[in-house]
């Protein structure tokens, strides 16, 4: 693949449809004005190492690629706001250094069948607003630190068939507006602290076959009752 590092004004790199491409490109150097990297290359297995801080890069799309892991050097993308890793079927791990991305607002790892856990320090992502784990079928537990994401507005764990439950401090997610538990077939109970989610306006518990009933008092005047479909 050609070296794109010499293109200082590169904003979008679109490699969609390059189905024979197997190696990843060299990223632009630190200090460039790069804003987005569209990385739709289905055979790419590795993400290039990042040697310097890159505060200009805002978005990365790796969805549907063959990437196996995210390298520890990802922490150098200190301006990254949007990271899409959805449907990366070979992805087995996220480097713990991803938790140093203090500007990250959206993290999408939905459909990553082989991803078994999130980094234990994910609560360090202080700007995170959306976390999508849809159909991450091998995730059994969520790290307790997820409850420290005070700006999180959307949490999607729908289709996480092996997820055993939510952390006890889930009520600490004071900004949470949408919680999707669709087809979480192994969840039996929800933590009492869920009643503290005052801004929650969408709660999806359809097809949670082991969850018998749910009545959540959202505030002094309103009760939300969810009828479970089995």
């Amino acid at each position: 693949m050609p070296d794109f590092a010499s293109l200082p004004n590169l904003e979008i790199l679109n490699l969609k449809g390059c189905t024979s491409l197997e190696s990843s490109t060299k990223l632009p150097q630190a200090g460039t004005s790069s804003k987005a990297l569209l990385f739709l290359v289905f055979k790419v297995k590795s993400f290039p190492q990042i040697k310097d801080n890159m505060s200009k890069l805002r978005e990365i799309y790796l969805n549907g690629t063959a990437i196996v892991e995210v390298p520890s050097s990802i922490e150098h993308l200190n301006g990254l706001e949007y990271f899409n890793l959805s449907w990366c079927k070979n992805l087995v791990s996220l480097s713990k250094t991803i938790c140093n991305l203090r500007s990250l607002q959206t993290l999408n790892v939905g459909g990553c069948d082989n991803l078994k856990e999130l980094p234990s320090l994910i609560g360090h992502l202080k700007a995170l607003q959306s976390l999508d784990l849809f159909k991450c079928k091998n995730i059994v537990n969520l790290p307790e630190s997820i409850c420290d994401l005070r700006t999180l507005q959307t949490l999607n764990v729908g289709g996480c068939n092996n997820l055993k439950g939510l952390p006890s401090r889930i009520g600490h997610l004071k900004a949470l507006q949408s919680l999707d538990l669709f087809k979480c077939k192994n969840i039996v109970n929800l933590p009492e602290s869920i009643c503290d989610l005052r801004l929650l306006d969408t709660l999806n518990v359809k097809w949670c076959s082991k969850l018998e009933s749910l009545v959540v008092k959202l505030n002094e005047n309103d009760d939300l009752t969810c009828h479970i479909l089995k």
Side-chain angles (χ1 to χ4, degrees), residues 115-182:
L115 186 64
K116 294 183 178 180
E117 61 182 5
L118 294 177
S120 60
L121 299 179
I122 195 168
H124 287 188
L125 295 174
K126 299 303 183 183
L128 198 66
Q129 298 177 15
S130 177
L131 178 58
D132 194 337
L133 304 171
F134 179 68
K135 283 194 173 182
C136 288
K137 298 178 180 179
N138 280 312
I139 288 184
V140 177
N141 297 298
L142 298 177
E144 192 68 27
S145 75
I146 201 172
C147 301
D148 297 326
L149 297 173
R150 301 301 173 88
T151 61
L152 193 67
Q153 299 175 16
T154 301
L155 175 59
N156 185 357
V157 292
C160 293
N161 296 338
N162 290 311
L163 185 66
K164 293 181 177 179
L166 299 176
S168 60
R169 295 191 298 119
I170 195 72
H172 287 207
L173 298 177
K174 300 300 184 182
L176 197 65
Q177 299 174 21
S178 176
L179 177 58
D180 196 335
L181 302 170
F182 177 71

Side-chain angles (χ1 to χ4, degrees), residues 197-213:
L197 298 176
R198 307 290 183 180
L199 297 181
L200 190 68
D201 56 32
T202 302
L203 177 59
N204 187 354
V205 289
K206 289 182 179 179
W207 308 112
C208 294
S209 54
K210 293 184 179 180
L211 194 62
E212 295 297 333
S213 62

Side-chain angles (χ1 to χ4, degrees), residues 99-119:
C99 301
N100 295 330
L101 299 177
R102 300 302 175 89
S103 298
L104 193 65
Q105 298 175 17
T106 298
L107 176 60
N108 187 347
V109 290
C112 296
D113 292 345
N114 286 308
L115 186 64
K116 294 183 178 180
E117 61 182 5
L118 294 177

Side-chain angles (χ1 to χ4, degrees), residues 15-35:
L15 300 173
K16 184 176 181 179
C18 302
T19 55
S20 297
L21 194 61
E22 297 187 5
S23 62
S24 55
T25 184
K26 185 177 180 182
L27 290 173
Q29 295 299 312
T32 72
S33 60
S34 298
K35 296 178 181 178

